[in-house]
Structures are given as structure tokens and as C-alpha cells.
Amino acid sequence: TMEGEAVDNFVIDEAGKQSEQLWYSTLTTITQTMGKGIVGGTPRGRAHWFFKIWTQAVNGDPFFFHDAQQLYLKFPYGVH
């Protein structure tokens, strides 16, 4: 967890696999430091905390910024 840490910037990768406690610990810290961060991953189910903040971002909540990226890999020799 990040409780008790002063953080100005952060990255949470694979957010759909992380606990809600990690998000709230981070949110509390960056609210105090006015920090910024990147939360990335794939929302996993509608009940997960990441889906909730992803939805807020998509709907234009000014606290969040949404950017969708798609990655295409071209495999050699016809491997799929």
C-alpha cells in the first residue's frame, strides 16, 4: 500500500487487477500533494473500482483524463 507516503506522481499498471485499497491510498496521497498519475489497464467487470473511475473519465469528469490506445502486433511467419 501507499499509506503514509508523500507521492507527487504515480503509475498504477494493470489497475483491473489491483485492490481498491491501493486506489484509495493513492487518491488520499495525491489529494494532499496535488500530484498526478497514470492508471492503466483493462476494466474487469462493472463492480471493480477501475471500471468506476474509467466510466467517470469517459463521461468527462474533470478530475480524470481518458485516452484509449490499441496495440497491434504483427507476428512473423504467420503466427497469430
Side-chain angles (χ1 to χ4, degrees):
T1 120
M2 294 179 46
E3 292 180 21
E5 300 295 325
V7 176
D8 293 315
N9 300 295
F10 70 92
V11 175
I12 298 177
D13 192 20
E14 294 294 338
K17 297 178 182 178
Q18 306 303 326
S19 72
E20 190 169 17
Q21 179 61 41
L22 174 65
W23 169 244
Y24 283 112
S25 294
T26 305
L27 185 62
T28 301
T29 301
I30 63 165
T31 300
Q32 294 173 359
T33 63
M34 300 300 289
K36 295 180 181 177
I38 298 171
V39 180
T42 303
R44 298 181 182 273
R46 295 176 183 260
H48 196 272
W49 68 268
F50 184 49
F51 179 80
K52 293 173 189 174
I53 66 165
W54 176 79
T55 303
Q56 287 176 270
V58 169
N59 290 330
D61 185 321
F63 188 77
F64 300 104
F65 172 77
H66 170 258
D67 185 25
Q69 300 291 322
Q70 292 184 353
L71 176 64
Y72 296 96
L73 299 175
K74 186 172 183 177
F75 292 99
Y77 312 111
V79 177
H80 298 278

